[in-house]
Amino acid sequence: MSARTATTRVAAVDLGAASGRVMAARVGPDLLELTEVARFANTAVRAGGTLHWDVLNLYRSILDGLRDAGPVDSIGIDSWAVDYGLLDADGRLLGNPVHYRDSRTDGVIERVLRQVPPERLYATTGLQLQPFNTLFQLVAARDTAQLAAARTLLLMPDLLAYWLTGEIGAERTNASTTQLLDVNTGTWAAELAGQVGIPAGILPPLREPGQAVGVLKADAGLGPVQVTTVASHDTASAVVGVPARGERFAYLSCGTWSLVGVELDRPVLTEQSRAANFTNEIGVDGTVRYLRNVMGLWLLQECQRVWRDDDVEPLLRAAARCAAFRSVIDPDDPVFLPPGDMPARIAEACRRTGQPVPGTPAETVRCILDSLALAHRAAILDAQRLSGREVDVVHIVGGGARNELLCQLTADACGLPVLAGPVEATALGNILVQARALGAVGGELADLRKLIRDTQPVRRFEPQGNDADWAAAAARLTR
């Protein structure tokens, strides 16, 4: 039996900001079967005044999940971006990685921009300014004993792959989120790092999606399984998992964050793009993910945490009955970034802008979803204007594809059909890059997306309502 007709079995480790899971899949030329074998919490821990990731608990949960997955031909790991661990000269981890929502980066952007003009920073890295970008985290840690002792920086998926295999490297799609990668050359921006006091020597060799990392070490207790580099930034894997036809599509990878943009062949580094705070991140097969970060369902998740209500469906049904556009907020206001009492912060934002304060959880949820749909609309309009790429359809993938009210509101706001699904786009993108590396599926990105279209359910939402109402609501946010 040839490699292209054989069935391959792989495991995807997919880590989000709130939870992680291990997915097992059977893949062949006409086959794509996905099974969740383990799910576990990813809970931040505050200690000594700093918000950390509990990375050892994550690693243990991953090993347990891989055991549950059974025999596989390959393992791939993806996660959220920007966060990292530092290794000493012996290859030991120097403390728990710090969470990107920690306050240590407050005011750091302004310090960096006094050293590096924003125009030069954008021309080099192509990234939007976000306080949690790795560059700013490292500047915040610049005078610490930990950074002084560091010999290697590993982003989260690369750290976990290092523990599994003993091999050091940095996968390129995730490296492109750090604001330390030169988007023009695809190499580390060593001169930039040095200018802001970051030792460029800690940045490891780069590797590509689909490259073999190494074989599991004996102490993992799982046998000699290959670990394959995937698009280890979860959004990069999610974009692989978008079941698009052709290139006239926008994608919306919707979960804790909404990553909204278009797929291009080259970065957009104009002054207009910089001013609009668009980012150019590397995708699979040399593509560019031209996108804007929108705060996303974090707003709703934090409200549910405060309300102690895990059942979102009754909240969504009640929100659908609430009046549209009663109150809208800017989801990307920095006040909403840290954990805390989100309903109170939303109420204060409405009060500050002279709008009715939501009086019930349902009204708060409707405020959030109307506001997210407006942010999606703005990002897609801007992406088309700045890139010259016209869009005929919006693909929503990730957990937000389950949120029917948000999908419909996004279709209404954009005036475009929305295709929602697959929910597991990130895991599917992870799996298909592994399967392609093993020769089990076709070689082009279009082939991978066709296999997803042929095997995964997608729901269509047609735009309804009046565009003038959305334009008027959007105008309220710019006053």
Side-chain angles (χ1 to χ4, degrees):
M1 184 180 292
S2 69
R4 285 296 307 276
T5 59
T7 297
T8 295
R9 195 165 190 276
V10 301
V13 177
D14 178 23
L15 303 176
S19 66
R21 63 266 184 86
V22 176
M23 313 289 285
R26 293 175 60 238
V27 190
D30 303 306
L31 175 70
L32 182 53
E33 294 180 351
L34 188 65
T35 304
E36 181 180 295
V37 295
R39 180 176 289 269
F40 41 88
N42 184 11
T43 305
V45 178
R46 188 173 296 279
T50 300
L51 194 64
H52 292 278
W53 296 105
D54 189 356
V55 68
L56 293 178
N57 185 54
L58 270 183
Y59 184 62
R60 180 187 63 190
S61 299
I62 289 167
L63 291 176
D64 290 343
L66 290 173
R67 291 186 187 96
D68 291 341
V72 294
D73 301 303
S74 172
I75 297 165
I77 306 171
D78 68 75
S79 87
W80 70 96
V82 304
D83 288 336
Y84 60 87
L86 296 172
L87 306 183
D88 66 13
D90 295 323
R92 304 287 184 180
L93 182 65
L94 289 162
N96 276 319
V98 178
H99 196 295
Y100 64 84
R101 294 191 190 272
D102 185 73
S103 62
R104 67 175 177 163
T105 56
D106 291 353
V108 173
I109 287 181
E110 293 76 15
R111 286 164 49 194
V112 169
L113 295 184
R114 286 195 289 269
Q115 296 177 274
V116 183
E119 297 82 3
R120 181 183 163 227
L121 190 59
Y122 194 76
T124 302
T125 67
L127 287 198
Q128 65 190 126
L129 293 178
Q130 296 278 15
F132 45 71
N133 288 350
T134 313
L135 180 147
F136 302 123
Q137 293 197 45
L138 287 167
V139 169
R142 191 166 52 191
D143 298 323
T144 63
Q146 187 183 87
L147 187 58
R151 295 296 177 267
T152 305
L153 177 148
L154 292 178
L155 297 169
M156 296 302 292
D158 302 318
L159 174 62
L160 295 163
Y162 164 67
W163 281 342
L164 288 172
T165 67
E167 301 295 332
I168 284 176
E171 188 277 317
R172 195 179 301 274
T173 70
N174 211 9
S176 75
T177 71
T178 62
Q179 211 144 40
L180 288 164
L181 191 80
D182 189 320
V183 73
N184 304 284
T185 65
T187 59
W188 291 117
E191 182 180 347
L192 170 64
Q195 187 171 351
V196 297
I198 297 170
I202 67 174
L203 302 173
L206 293 161
R207 50 194 179 204
E208 303 296 331
Q211 182 178 333
V213 176
V215 176
L216 290 189
K217 295 192 297 184
D219 63 7
L222 295 167
V225 182
Q226 174 178 305
V227 175
T228 302
T229 303
V230 298
S232 67
H233 181 205
D234 53 8
T235 305
S237 275
V239 173
V240 173
V242 170
R245 301 175 186 268
E247 60 183 27
R248 291 170 62 97
F249 69 95
Y251 57 82
L252 202 173
S253 179
C254 186
T256 300
W257 290 90
S258 285
L259 294 309
V260 192
V262 294
E263 186 176 72
L264 303 175
D265 298 326
R266 60 184 62 87
V268 180
L269 300 175
T270 61
E271 175 59 19
Q272 293 86 350
S273 180
R274 184 191 71 81
N277 217 24
F278 263 74
T279 205
N280 295 269
E281 297 173 356
I282 303 301
V284 168
D285 294 352
T287 56
V288 171
R289 292 175 287 123
Y290 185 61
L291 62 90
R292 179 186 287 155
N293 283 48
V294 174
M295 197 74 77
L297 290 170
W298 162 254
L299 299 160
L300 177 55
Q301 293 162 358
E302 276 293 279
C303 285
Q304 288 183 264
R305 185 183 64 79
V306 170
W307 296 329
R308 299 184 179 181
D309 187 350
D310 294 332
D311 191 354
V312 73
E313 290 303 323
L315 287 170
L316 294 177
R317 287 193 295 270
R321 296 191 293 269
C322 292
F325 312 130
R326 183 173 180 269
S327 303
V328 290
I329 57 172
D330 175 6
D332 296 318
D333 187 323
V335 72
F336 300 128
L337 179 64
D341 190 342
M342 190 65 71
R345 281 179 281 172
I346 290 171
E348 177 55 31
C350 294
R351 191 177 296 112
R352 187 176 65 247
T353 53
Q355 302 179 89
V357 173
T360 65
E363 289 180 351
T364 299
V365 173
R366 185 57 186 251
C367 172
I368 290 170
L369 298 186
D370 282 347
S371 301
L372 287 179
L374 284 167
H376 298 161
R377 167 195 170 97
I380 290 170
L381 287 173
D382 285 346
Q384 293 179 88
R385 173 177 59 86
L386 296 165
S387 71
R389 172 64 54 79
E390 294 185 0
V391 166
D392 297 329
V393 63
V394 179
H395 283 272
I396 297 183
V397 297
R402 291 194 184 99
N403 190 321
E404 295 182 11
L405 180 56
L406 181 58
C407 291
Q408 185 62 60
L409 291 174
T410 299
D412 298 346
C414 297
L416 292 168
V418 162
L419 297 181
V423 171
E424 304 293 355
T426 300
L428 290 167
N430 176 323
I431 284 158
L432 287 174
V433 168
Q434 291 185 71
R436 183 173 70 171
L438 297 174
V441 295
E444 300 294 328
L445 195 52
D447 297 324
L448 306 185
R449 289 172 172 159
K450 181 179 185 302
L451 182 56
I452 293 173
R453 288 198 305 274
D454 291 345
T455 60
Q456 306 301 309
V458 172
R459 183 169 180 186
R460 187 179 181 96
F461 295 83
E462 293 291 345
Q464 302 172 6
N466 188 336
D467 183 68
D469 294 336
W470 287 97
R476 285 157 56 188
L477 291 175
T478 59
R479 291 173 187 166

